[in-house]
């Protein structure tokens, strides 16, 4: 099934504004746990309604959106700080280094160590761009589920 | 030769609500408020600046009904381009505006030699509040 692209979804703007509030809360604290129940209460709707409406409005399920924000933050910390990778994993919401490393590679195609090394080798001149635009530029574009991405990659490597 | 920007408009969900927000909370003044039937030309400005911010409703007959609905959805989803408000003291403004009920989406953070915070207007338009650099 192809996901709906930008355009009218016919959703009530008042509902969308409340869904945006839940999205904002994930943006502000992506390292926290955001079960659907918690997000739904921010938006003032039932959990089932929330999950369906969020995906319809923003094109991705809430959990996947949260993953993109966590990976985005992890990439920024790998690039801009000398923090050990395990600290970055915990700071961005993962409870184990193994899970972080696996999901990170599934999404970005490289390990945290590889990304850090590559970013270090490249000069950046982004001081004059407001922070939010920089972070948006580094946000991974997760159109498929992480597990699906991994499956496809494995299927490809088997067929080679 | 162009000499300046006169008006830039925002789409808002409700003009009365927007007016209350920009005037009572953010400290803008009403500059123009003219009605013609259901159409309302509403602009606000800061006391120390000529530039006007338009608070417009996506509505017929300016837009067709479907496009107007799409624009209302876009605004409510936070899809409109970001706006930047310059203040003397970001932390002080944050405290003041928060006490008035402004919905902040990011607390003040010091970085890149400045301090910035984010808030949204009631419609969903995103503002970044930055401290003027000395």
């Amino acid at each position: 099934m192809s996901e709906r692209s930008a355009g009218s979804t016919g959703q009530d703007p008042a509902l969308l504004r409340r869904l945006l509030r839940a999205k904002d809360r994930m943006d502000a604290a992506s390292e926290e746990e955001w079960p659907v129940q918690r997000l739904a209460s921010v938006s003032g709707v039932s959990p089932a309604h929330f999950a369906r409406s969020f995906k319809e409005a923003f094109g991705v399920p809430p959990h996947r959106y949260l993953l993109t924000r966590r990976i985005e933050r992890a990439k920024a910390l790998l690039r801009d700080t000398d923090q050990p990778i395990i600290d970055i994993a915990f700071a961005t919401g993962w409870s184990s280094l193994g899970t972080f490393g696996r999901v990170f590679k599934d999404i970005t195609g490289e390990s945290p160590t590889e990304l850090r090394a590559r970013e270090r080798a490249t000069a950046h001149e982004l001081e004059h761009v407001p922070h939010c635009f920089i972070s948006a530029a580094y946000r991974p574009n997760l159109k498929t589920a992480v597990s699906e991405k991994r499956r496809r990659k494995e299927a490809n490597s088997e067929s080679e | 030769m162009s000499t300046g920007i006169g008006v830039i408009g925002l789409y808002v969900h409700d003009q009365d609500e927007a007016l209350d927000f920009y005037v009572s909370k953010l400290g803008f003044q009403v500059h123009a408020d003219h009605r013609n039937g259901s159409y309302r030309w509403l602009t606000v400005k800061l006391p120390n600046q000529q530039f006007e911010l338009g608070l417009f409703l996506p509505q017929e007959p300016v837009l067709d009904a479907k496009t107007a609905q799409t624009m209302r959805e876009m605004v409510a989803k936070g899809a409109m381009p970001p706006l930047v408000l310059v203040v003397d003291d970001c932390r002080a403004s944050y405290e003041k505006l928060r006490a008035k009920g402004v919905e902040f989406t990011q607390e003040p953070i010091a970085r890149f030699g400045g301090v910035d915070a984010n808030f949204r207007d009631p419609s969903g338009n995103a503002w970044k509040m930055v401290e003027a650099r000395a």
Side-chain angles (χ1 to χ4, degrees):
Chain A
M1 191 190 82
S2 71
E3 278 169 358
R4 199 191 291 266
S5 59
S8 175
T9 55
Q11 289 171 286
D12 175 11
L15 169 67
L16 292 170
R17 182 66 182 86
R18 298 204 307 275
L19 295 173
L20 177 63
R21 201 158 282 142
K23 187 166 171 270
D24 282 340
R25 293 283 299 277
M26 284 194 274
D27 289 342
S30 61
E31 73 285 1
E32 292 182 13
E33 293 301 320
W34 289 102
V36 170
Q37 197 91 35
R38 185 181 178 198
L39 292 166
S41 76
V42 170
S43 293
V45 295
S46 74
H49 188 203
F50 176 84
R52 197 172 54 241
S53 307
F54 187 96
K55 181 166 189 283
E56 196 176 355
F58 300 113
V60 288
H63 175 255
R64 205 185 304 167
Y65 179 73
L66 181 65
L67 279 187
T68 67
R69 297 313 315 262
R70 287 182 173 182
I71 293 297
E72 170 189 329
R73 267 197 69 211
K75 285 169 82 173
L77 291 170
L78 287 165
R79 190 180 66 241
D80 301 336
T81 74
D82 294 318
Q83 284 182 47
I85 290 172
I86 188 161
D87 292 357
I88 292 175
F90 290 136
T92 53
W94 272 273
S95 51
S96 95
L97 184 59
T99 311
F100 169 65
R102 198 170 62 246
V103 175
F104 191 95
K105 182 149 191 174
D106 285 340
I107 291 175
T108 68
E110 53 192 345
S111 74
T113 315
E114 287 163 350
L115 181 124
R116 175 171 264 174
R118 188 173 54 73
E119 289 284 352
R120 289 283 155 84
T122 324
H124 290 288
E125 292 180 7
L126 289 170
E127 289 84 2
H128 300 291
V129 184
H131 172 81
C132 52
F133 307 117
I134 299 176
S135 58
Y138 280 93
R139 189 172 308 169
N141 196 356
L142 256 193
K143 291 210 177 70
T144 53
V146 175
S147 53
E148 175 62 23
K149 203 170 172 179
R150 193 183 308 150
R151 256 197 313 279
R152 282 185 200 170
K153 202 177 160 199
E154 282 165 6
N156 285 340
S157 59
E158 278 163 18
S159 64
E160 275 165 12
Chain B
M1 187 183 141
S2 305
T3 55
I5 293 175
V7 179
I8 291 183
L10 298 182
Y11 277 138
V12 298
H13 179 66
D14 178 300
Q15 286 176 303
D16 286 329
E17 179 189 59
L19 184 62
D20 180 63
F21 177 81
Y22 284 96
V23 173
S24 310
K25 294 194 164 85
L26 290 195
F28 284 70
Q29 297 171 340
V30 180
H31 183 80
D33 189 355
H34 307 297
R35 290 169 195 261
N36 187 353
S38 66
Y39 184 77
R40 184 179 183 189
W41 173 265
L42 175 66
T43 73
V44 294
K45 64 187 271 299
L46 285 169
N48 54 349
Q49 240 182 2
Q50 285 304 308
F51 169 76
E52 292 171 61
L53 189 64
L55 306 173
F56 305 131
L57 210 57
Q59 65 178 159
E60 294 180 276
V62 180
L63 302 176
D64 64 274
K66 192 158 176 265
T67 304
Q69 166 67 16
T70 301
M71 293 317 300
R72 284 192 291 272
E73 291 176 26
M74 294 304 122
V75 174
K77 284 202 272 189
M80 302 309 274
L83 302 149
V84 178
L85 184 71
V86 181
V87 295
D88 295 330
D89 183 332
C90 187
R91 291 178 203 283
S93 295
Y94 167 79
E95 292 301 337
K96 197 176 113 196
L97 295 178
R98 203 168 69 113
K100 289 184 175 181
V102 173
E103 180 181 344
F104 276 87
T105 52
Q106 178 216 295
E107 292 175 8
I109 294 178
R111 57 185 160 200
F112 309 130
V115 183
D116 66 80
N118 296 343
F119 65 87
R120 287 196 192 277
D121 76 4
S123 301
N125 291 299
W127 283 90
K128 179 161 279 288
M129 187 166 79
V130 301
E131 202 164 296
R133 296 197 195 190

